[in-house]
Amino acid sequence: MTENITNTGKVVGINGNLVSVQFDGNVSLNEICYIRVDDIILKSEVIRIRGNIAQIQVYETTHGIKYGDIVEFTGEMLYAELGPGLLGQIYDGLQNPLPILAKRAGWFLERGIYENFLNYERQWHFKPTAKIGDTVRAGEYIGTVPENSFTHKIFIPFYLLGNYKIKSIADEGEYTVKETIAVLTDEKGNDIPISMSFRWPVKRAIKCYSERLAPTETMETKVRLIDSFFPVAKGGTYCIPGPFGAGKTVLQHTTSKYADVDIVIIAACGERAGEVVETLTEFPELIDPKTGRSLMERTIIICNTSSMPVASREASVYTSVTLAEYYRQMGLHVLLLADSTSRWAQALREMSGRLEEIPGEEAFPAYLESYIAAFYERAGYVRLPDGSTGSVTIGGTVSPAGGNFEEPVTQATLKVVGAFHGLSRERSDARKYPAIDPLISWSKYKGVISQEKSAFCRSILHHGDEIGSMMKVVGEDGTSLADFIIYLKEEMLDAVYFQQNSFDLTEANCGKERQRYVTDKLIHILGSDYNLNEKDEARSFFNRLRQKFIDWNYTEFLSDSFKKTESEIDSIYDDANGTLSNEAKLLFKGGE
C-alpha cells in the first residue's frame, strides 16, 4: 500500500517500540507515519506531541532503526477501509489480509509488508437505489451489492458533512470497489466522486444514526445459563473474566456459532498464539446452523497474538469495533468478541511506562478505566435514517492473573458492562461447562424467563450451596432431611440446567421456547414437597430424576421422544407424591 506523504522528520530517540521523531511543519495526534529502515518501511502512529518532537508507537519490531532515519508522515489517521469484501476475511490489527501476507512471506511474516485492505480487482454487482437529483447525506445508502447471504449497502461516506445532490449514478452492473459509482454535488457546487469503499479513522465512533435506543431485546446465545439467568441484550455489553484454561475461548466459539446475530467479529487482541491458531483452523470448518454453510461467511477475524508487537493489540481492538459499527449501519445485528482485553491493557501499560507517565494501580495507566469505558460504549442498539434498527453487542474476555477478579482490568470492566459471566477454576476443574459461576455472576438485562422464576431458582441455588458448605463441616449425618433435600435440588439444578454439552447439536442449540418449557418443568420439581422419609431414598429419587432430565435435554424439542421422556419424568415425580408448594404456585398463572 502507498500513502500520500505530507511531511517528514528524523528519528532522534528509540525506547523499545516507542520512537521519538523531530519534525517540521504540522503533525496531528494519531497520525500514521512510516519509518524508513534500509529498503523497508515500518508503520507507526503518533501518540504524543511535545513541541517539535513527536513520539510514535511502531506496529512492527524496531530492530535496525537508528538515529537520523527518515520518518514520513501521511496526514491520515489510523483507519479502516470499509466496503464490500470484508466478510470471511482474516486480518491483522492493521487490516492487512493475513492469507495474502502469508503467500508473500511464507510461514513467518516479515515486517514492513502491507497489503490492500480490500480486493481491488474483484467486481461486485452494483444495483442503484437512488436516482439523479436525490438529496443525500452521510450514512444514507445509494445502492446495494450482494455479499454472501447479505445485502451490502453502499453508503455516502461517513465523513461527508451536510447535504449533497446526486449529479450522476452508475447503472446496474459490475464494478470494483475503487471505480466511481456516483458523483455528488455539495452546497458550493463542487463535485465529489464516490466509490463503493472509503476510509474511516478507527478511533472515532460511527454515529450516522438517527437515535440511540435502550438495549432491551435479549440476544439469544442458546446457552441456558446465560439466556435464562445472566442474559445479554442486543446492543449491550458483557465480560467473561476467568483464569487460564477455564473455557473463555470455548464459550466464545459456542456463542459465535449459535448467537441470534447476523455478523460475528472475533478480535484476538493479544491472546496466546496456540489459541489463535485453533480459532483460525476451526472456524472455517464450523457449520453455521442458520445457513448450513461455513460460519466464516458471516465472520471476520482480527488476529493479533501475544507474540506480535504490543502496539498492534490496541489497533486490533479499534479496527474490529469499527467494522462492527459499519455493518450495524446496514441494519444488521453484530456480535464483537474481544479475546482478551487483558492483553490490550498490558499493551497500554507497556506504552505508558515508556512514555514515563505516572502509573496507576499495578502500574496500569491512570486512564485505563476511561479507555475501557470508551471501547465498550461503542456498543449500542440504534435506529438508522431509513427507520431500520441495528446493533453492536460487545463481549470481552478478561484474563486476570491467578483468577483474581480484584485486579484493575476486571474491576474497570465491571464498572461499564451490563452483564458479568465470571468463570471459576473449581467449576472448570470439575468439568462443568460452561464454567460460569452462578453464585457470583450477574446481569442487568432481561432474560428469556421471568425475573420471578429466575429469582426462585437462584434462591434454591444459594440455599443449597450454604447447606453444601455446612455439610463439609458436619457431614451428611449432621444435616437434617429437609436441608439435605434442598441440597439435592441445588445439585439437580446445576447438573440438568446450568451444565450443557456444546458438542451435541441438540443440547447446544437450546432456544428460548425450550428454555421456558424446561424451566417450568424444573420449577415444578424444585418447588415441590415430597413424601421422602430417608436420605438414601431422597438421593435415589433425585438421581433417577436428574438422569432422566439429562436424557430429556438430548431429545429434539416437542418430538415423540421428547414427550415420552417427559412422561417418564412425570411418572417419577408422581411416585414420590410430589405436591407443588404455595411459593411455586405463585410463579404460574392459575397455579398451572
Side-chain angles (χ1 to χ4, degrees), residues 545-563:
L545 206 54
R546 177 170 62 179
Q547 187 56 54
K548 191 58 65 176
F549 224 102
I550 291 174
D551 294 341
W552 197 35
N553 288 336
Y554 287 93
T555 59
E556 188 177 346
F557 186 46
L558 299 181
S559 65
D560 291 340
S561 58
F562 179 90
K563 296 175 182 177

Side-chain angles (χ1 to χ4, degrees), residues 255-369:
T255 303
S256 61
K257 184 175 181 180
Y258 293 108
D260 181 27
V261 294
D262 300 307
I263 307 292
V264 177
I265 298 178
I266 308 291
C269 46
E271 197 48 83
R272 291 171 290 186
E275 295 186 10
V276 176
V277 169
E278 185 177 331
T279 299
L280 296 180
T281 55
E282 286 188 0
F283 256 77
E285 304 298 326
L286 293 178
I287 301 300
D288 186 356
K290 293 183 177 181
T291 63
R293 300 198 295 268
S294 172
L295 186 62
M296 278 300 296
E297 290 190 6
R298 61 182 184 94
T299 302
I300 305 172
I301 298 179
I302 310 295
C303 175
N304 271 103
T305 68
S306 56
S307 58
M308 293 181 178
V310 293
S312 56
R313 300 182 195 175
E314 183 187 16
S316 64
V317 170
Y318 292 113
T319 298
S320 59
V321 74
T322 300
L323 299 185
E325 291 174 330
Y326 176 60
Y327 278 100
R328 178 180 66 183
Q329 194 68 26
M330 299 181 198
L332 299 174
H333 298 287
V334 186
L335 172 61
L336 168 60
L337 299 172
D339 186 17
S340 131
T341 55
S342 292
R343 309 287 188 179
W344 166 43
Q346 289 167 8
L348 292 177
R349 177 169 63 184
E350 186 168 333
M351 291 308 303
S352 176
R354 287 178 175 157
L355 288 168
E356 299 179 355
E357 297 172 335
I358 297 175
E361 186 178 357
E362 294 189 18
F364 284 103
Y367 47 77
L368 175 68
E369 288 188 11

Side-chain angles (χ1 to χ4, degrees), residues 529-553:
D529 300 319
Y530 301 94
N531 185 19
L532 301 170
N533 301 316
E534 300 290 340
K535 291 178 182 176
D536 287 341
E537 184 183 2
R539 183 185 294 107
S540 175
F541 167 73
F542 279 102
N543 282 344
R544 289 168 56 209
L545 206 54
R546 177 170 62 179
Q547 187 56 54
K548 191 58 65 176
F549 224 102
I550 291 174
D551 294 341
W552 197 35
N553 288 336

